[in-house]
Amino acid sequence: MTVTITHNGEIAVVTVDNPPVNALSQDLRQSLWDAAETLDNDPSVRAVVLICAGRTFIAGADVNEFGKPPMPPHLPDLVKRIERATKPWIAAIHGSALGGGFEIALGCRFRVAVASASVGLPEVRLGIVPGAGGTVRLPRLVGPALAADMVTTGTPVAAPKARSQGLIDAIVDGDLEKGAIDFALAALAHSLPLALSDRAVPAVDTAFWDKTAKSVATRAKREEAPLRALACVKSAAEADFETALAFERETFLQLRGSDQAAALRHVFFAERAAPRPPELSGASPRPIRSVAVIGGGTMGAGIAASLRDAGLPVTLVERDQAAVERGLANLQAIFDGAVKRGRIDPETAVARMAGIAGTTDYARLADTDLVIEAVFEDLDVKRAVFTQLAAICRPDAVLATNTSYLDPDHIAAFMTGRERFIGLHFFSPANIMKLLEIVPAASTAPDVLATGFALARMLGKIPVRAGICDGFIGNRILKVTRAQAERLLLSGATPQAVDAAMRAFGLPMGPFEAQDLGGLDIAAFQRKAARARGETPFAPIADRLCEEGRFGQKSGGGWYDYAKGDRTPLPSATVTRLIAAAADGTLQRDWDEAGIVDCIVLPMVNEAAKILEDRTALRASDIDLVKIHGYGFPRWRGGPMHYAQARGLCEVVATLDRLAEDGLAEHPCDLLRQSATSGTFEVPR
Ligand code: 3H9
């Protein structure tokens, strides 16, 4: 870490160099404090430019310090020190000025930025509120409405918009340091604006706070930080500066030690570890400039849309012209939907469609860098696709399957050039869902694996490396979730009670509502295939529902009944009858919410531990990411593995043993029992 001071005439330039993201570690805070002292005492200096080396401006407080006691100089004091410096400081921003980094910039008298920069207060995403005056200075700069929006969503603002909203004072074209020095010299020719702490908060109408609190509460569900952040902005509007600052600091310190903040920090670091599985070291990805998708159904169209969103030209291949037209119509519907929701403008939708070429001719793929197959889940159909691709594509083209249940090694068994083959398992809707399971086959070359991870980065997805087994990581655990949900029905719970308990736990939907939405037929098809392989999947009631043609919302009924044209789930007398018949003789219990959650979530944890045990996943935190980004597990609970560890693995083991003795779950696996002795998941070497 270095902080250097250079001089350009009357302007001093303070350069922070603390890789990777110039986070405000204790020694950086001290060095900036010392720089402020030095420059205050230097009569030759009239203004100070604060700039950063590397890829970004200061990206925030050092998250690694959050588990430890705060060490002086504390960030709020440093921001004040800069704000009260005898010369004006000018923040020169590139990359991201986030959290404490933006708070430092708010302590500066001016902020200038390159057009590609962004600024924001993303603390709520870490389960905390800004802790160095962000909620108190920001409303003084741009008013309570924008401040409330920024601190409760945590969404960064791009520099051009930030300029128009008054968050920054100027956009610098060309060299940032020179532009900031020129800005400083020009600013010195005029009287200085007041420091933010000396300004008043513009008034808002009295209804604003209640209205905003309602919408924040709806969005945040059970996440604590957004409403607490709003309370800080309100306090800034109602109390004097110092009182509001003290209120913000107290809120920050309380939340910093909360379970939600610990869970969200865990997810933050998990997301940064997942893109780097050890086997990638030394492997460089192959370039991806053009992509083809085979199959234009829901999955294929979603994948193609995601590729277009990332700016890649896409060829969509279908088996006949009618299917090509259907595939293109699916894509058009996706982009139309994005326009309707305000995600893109109509011109962008037109441009996205213009970058897609539909064809039935595999010969068009001769020079494509990456091909992703998303055809029907049938081994022979997929093998035929890869035989054609292997014959037509360049030998260095990467060929990927989006299979969710078939064994990639079997799909590639007869293909030539198998080192370029890989599984890329997207989640539906593929243009929205963040998860990408990356599944190397036995033959996959390291640089092809690296290409999968590079693609995930291009698409803004969270990549998780998964080994080969039935369902990989996510769907293998999903099978347990569904089996446990049915065990609950057999032993006295209702679908409504199970769904309500899982929603109360934090999932967007319960397991039965989710099946009705997605359709029961795909899982039934997979169970049939599993039985043909000699397996015995457990879904006694779902099997009966499918026999009766109850496939979910699309057939007018599944686990629930639905009135025509209405998606509201209604209790079903048919389902009650089927449950009673299937449960015949099973001991009936009174289930409460906590019991239902344990009976579903803890067996999921046990399956996840087996997934670690057999090396299908490399890290417990990867499994957390799969469940959060692919299945809606609440982020603020940190994923199932973090949840289990936070709760105590000994308690998890004991509860599972009790459930197992009642025939309601399997006993804990060896790895879970061993991990209980240390309290954290032990990954076998
Ligand atoms: C805060 O500021 C609280 C204050 O209000 C109050 C305090 C009193 N700390 O994401 P990347 C590491 S809360 C420590 O892959 P990118 C990261 O772990 C903070 N380390 O890069 C990784 O390390 P490694 C508010 C951090 O270019 C490496 O940097 N700020 C921090 O894709 C690269 O990360 C935030 O929440 C940190 N704050 O994206 C900003 N940030 O290489 C969080 C990153 O060892 N950060 N690292 O795995 C980001 O959003 C992105 O990192 C950023 C760069 C957009 C900056």
Side-chain angles (χ1 to χ4, degrees):
M1 190 283 304
T2 57
V3 169
T4 45
I5 300 176
T6 52
H7 294 266
N8 190 309
E10 294 175 312
I11 310 296
V13 177
V14 174
T15 305
V16 171
D17 189 2
N18 189 23
V21 295
N22 293 312
L24 286 156
S25 54
Q26 190 276 336
D27 47 351
L28 174 56
R29 295 196 300 275
Q30 185 62 57
S31 300
L32 282 171
W33 186 282
D34 295 344
E37 295 282 314
T38 305
L39 294 169
D40 266 5
N41 293 322
D42 185 341
S44 70
V45 172
R46 291 188 60 213
V48 180
V49 166
L50 173 64
I51 196 165
C52 292
R55 65 213 225 212
T56 181
F57 190 76
I58 299 166
D62 188 339
V63 179
N64 295 301
E65 288 183 357
F66 280 5
K68 305 169 191 161
M71 297 271 287
H74 302 298
L75 195 54
D77 300 332
L78 176 62
V79 175
K80 257 190 202 167
R81 179 69 190 81
I82 290 173
E83 190 175 49
R84 293 290 162 219
T86 53
K87 338 277 163 85
W89 281 50
I90 294 106
I93 301 167
H94 76 292
S96 312
L98 296 177
F102 188 45
E103 288 172 305
I104 290 267
L106 291 172
C108 295
R109 203 57 67 96
F110 299 100
R111 290 150 294 282
V112 300
V114 292
S116 59
S118 59
V119 301
L121 293 170
E123 283 85 346
V124 287
R125 295 184 178 180
L126 292 167
I128 54 175
V129 298
T135 66
V136 190
R137 287 190 179 84
L138 193 55
R140 288 172 156 78
L141 181 65
V142 292
L146 179 56
D149 185 59
M150 285 179 71
V151 302
T152 59
T153 63
T155 311
V157 182
K161 194 169 175 193
R163 171 74 191 95
S164 70
Q165 292 176 324
L167 291 159
I168 59 174
D169 300 289
I171 302 264
V172 173
D173 292 324
D175 184 66
L176 178 60
E177 183 175 322
K178 180 176 177 318
I181 291 170
D182 290 347
F183 181 95
L185 289 169
L188 286 173
H190 303 93
S191 56
L192 290 177
L194 287 177
L196 289 179
S197 60
D198 295 332
R199 298 189 203 175
V201 178
V204 280
D205 69 72
T206 45
F208 171 80
W209 298 109
D210 281 350
K211 212 173 80 200
T212 309
K214 274 197 194 102
S215 71
V216 171
T218 309
R219 213 175 41 224
K221 301 202 173 74
R222 290 183 52 198
E223 267 186 63
E224 257 182 84
L227 271 179
R228 302 287 296 272
L230 182 66
C232 291
V233 179
K234 186 166 187 257
S235 136
E238 292 173 350
D240 63 78
F241 183 85
E242 288 302 334
T243 308
L245 199 65
F247 180 78
E248 179 201 75
R249 184 75 181 164
E250 194 190 324
T251 310
F252 166 78
L253 290 173
Q254 274 172 12
L255 289 182
R256 203 180 74 144
S258 70
D259 291 346
Q260 290 196 3
L264 289 164
R265 267 200 310 277
H266 162 75
V267 178
F268 175 87
F269 286 116
E271 286 173 348
R272 275 145 190 90
R276 292 185 225 144
E279 65 221 271
L280 275 197
S281 67
S284 303
R286 298 181 184 183
I288 310 170
R289 289 153 305 211
S290 58
V291 191
V293 177
I294 315 291
T298 309
M299 206 61 205
I303 294 170
S306 171
L307 295 163
R308 283 301 298 132
D309 290 346
L312 288 160
V314 176
T315 307
L316 183 71
V317 184
E318 263 292 3
R319 56 178 183 262
D320 56 42
Q321 197 51 38
V324 171
E325 299 305 328
R326 276 197 302 277
L328 292 175
N330 287 340
L331 271 151
Q332 186 70 60
I334 291 174
F335 293 128
D336 287 349
V339 172
K340 215 164 114 195
R341 284 182 201 95
R343 283 208 196 105
I344 54 173
D345 56 33
E347 295 73 41
T348 307
V350 170
R352 299 269 156 97
M353 278 309 287
I356 301 162
T359 183
T360 56
D361 185 5
Y362 275 69
R364 298 266 295 269
L365 311 185
D367 195 32
T368 304
D369 295 329
L370 165 69
V371 184
I372 303 173
E373 164 277 311
V375 302
F376 189 61
E377 282 285 279
D378 178 283
L379 188 59
D380 293 334
V381 175
K382 288 191 190 275
R383 278 180 175 168
V385 167
F386 282 99
T387 304
Q388 287 198 69
L389 291 175
I392 283 162
C393 295
R394 280 195 334 258
D396 64 332
V398 172
L399 306 182
T401 176
N402 175 54
T403 187
S404 30
Y405 281 98
L406 296 173
D407 183 333
D409 282 332
H410 293 171
I411 295 174
F414 302 108
M415 202 186 120
T416 52
R418 276 183 289 163
E419 74 292 339
R420 57 184 161 154
F421 176 82
I422 189 166
L424 294 178
H425 182 211
F426 290 79
F427 288 72
S428 189
N431 55 315
I432 305 284
M433 297 297 282
K434 285 262 177 242
L435 178 64
L436 181 64
E437 281 183 331
I438 299 188
V439 191
S443 54
T444 303
D447 63 336
V448 171
L449 183 62
T451 310
F453 280 88
L455 178 76
R457 184 148 181 111
M458 287 170 89
L459 304 189
K461 305 257 181 238
I462 306 285
V464 171
R465 185 227 183 263
I468 294 177
C469 66
D470 192 15
F472 310 130
I473 298 174
N475 283 342
R476 180 167 154 189
I477 298 175
L478 178 65
K479 265 202 261 176
V480 172
T481 314
R482 289 185 171 165
Q484 287 306 115
E486 290 210 31
R487 285 202 172 94
L488 279 160
L489 300 187
L490 296 178
S491 59
T494 61
Q496 301 87 290
V498 172
D499 282 340
M502 293 310 285
R503 263 187 277 110
F505 180 73
L507 275 102
M509 251 183 260
F512 298 116
E513 296 159 328
Q515 288 180 62
D516 272 4
L517 182 67
L520 277 73
D521 44 343
I522 298 169
F525 174 80
Q526 280 150 4
R527 288 196 297 276
K528 200 168 145 200
R531 285 188 183 112
R533 294 194 299 267
E535 294 166 24
T536 51
F538 178 81
I541 310 164
D543 281 338
R544 291 285 296 119
L545 290 176
C546 292
E547 281 167 23
E548 300 215 356
R550 295 182 66 98
F551 295 117
Q553 289 186 16
K554 61 181 162 192
S555 66
W559 290 103
Y560 296 97
D561 289 341
Y562 298 90
K564 213 173 164 48
D566 189 347
R567 288 164 176 247
T568 314
L570 306 168
S572 163
T574 311
V575 172
T576 308
R577 176 175 53 78
L578 292 178
I579 294 170
D584 189 28
T586 313
L587 181 70
Q588 301 292 289
R589 309 170 154 214
D590 279 336
W591 287 98
D592 62 10
E593 265 186 7
I596 289 172
V597 168
D598 277 358
C599 188
I600 291 185
V601 175
L602 302 189
M604 285 167 62
V605 170
N606 190 36
E607 189 64 29
K610 287 193 219 165
I611 282 172
L612 273 182
E613 203 164 41
D614 64 23
R615 310 282 290 149
T616 298
L618 298 180
R619 315 174 181 97
S621 61
D622 281 355
I623 301 174
D624 286 332
L625 294 182
V626 167
K627 297 317 286 181
I628 290 168
H629 291 293
Y631 301 82
F633 200 94
R635 188 180 174 89
W636 55 268
R637 288 208 187 262
M641 305 304 258
H642 178 86
Y643 169 77
Q645 279 182 188
R647 182 154 159 192
L649 294 182
C650 287
E651 189 189 322
V652 169
V653 163
T655 310
L656 275 170
D657 273 331
R658 275 198 304 279
L659 286 167
E661 272 144 32
D662 293 343
L664 288 165
E666 286 182 12
H667 281 288
C669 68
D670 289 346
L671 183 122
L672 183 48
R673 284 195 197 284
Q674 282 154 20
S675 302
T677 54
S678 66
T680 54
F681 284 103
E682 308 279 352
V683 184
R685 298 264 153 227

